[in-house]
Amino acid sequence: MIVSLELIREHIHADSDDVSNQLLTQYYNSAVGAIETYCHRSLVSDTDETAIASSEETVPAEVKQFLLVTIADLYEKRERISDKTLSTYHNHLLDHYILY
């Protein structure tokens, strides 16, 4: 994982009694998918030259922040997601990684 479950828990101010690893992993995977969809390229690949990073260690800080903020947004709105919209202010962290 590009950001650890421990860092995600710290970011959302939750401990293991509040939320399961399985749920956080689901949010993480959704956030990775959002990055790849928004930027029109893979997040990490050592064979794809258009990927944002060649390894998890080289993922830019803005992308890591996007992951954390997106996961926190999903976590905050987990109970009644249909009544709330997800924030999109942080999408601009990814703007210079978009392939047009």
Side-chain angles (χ1 to χ4, degrees), residues 5-92:
L5 290 175
E6 293 79 21
L7 182 59
I8 293 169
R9 284 185 194 289
E10 183 179 342
H11 183 75
I12 64 173
H13 304 287
D15 59 33
S16 58
D17 295 335
D18 294 335
V19 61
S20 70
N21 287 346
Q22 182 179 2
L23 185 60
L24 291 181
T25 301
Q26 175 61 38
Y27 294 155
Y28 170 86
N29 291 335
S30 293
V32 169
I35 290 169
E36 293 179 337
T37 298
Y38 188 78
C39 294
H40 308 288
R41 58 185 178 160
S42 297
L43 175 53
V44 176
S45 175
D46 60 351
T47 58
D48 182 358
E49 292 179 11
T50 65
I52 293 171
S54 60
S55 69
E56 290 184 352
E57 293 78 27
T58 62
V59 172
E62 301 97 339
V63 176
K64 290 178 182 179
Q65 187 63 33
F66 179 91
L67 284 169
L68 291 171
V69 173
T70 301
I71 291 165
D73 213 26
L74 291 167
Y75 175 73
E76 276 182 20
K77 295 172 175 74
R78 70 194 177 282
E79 293 178 11
R80 292 188 349 241
I81 196 80
S82 63
D83 295 342
K84 302 173 185 177
T85 59
L86 295 175
S87 302
T88 58
Y89 69 91
H90 54 279
N91 282 351
H92 296 294

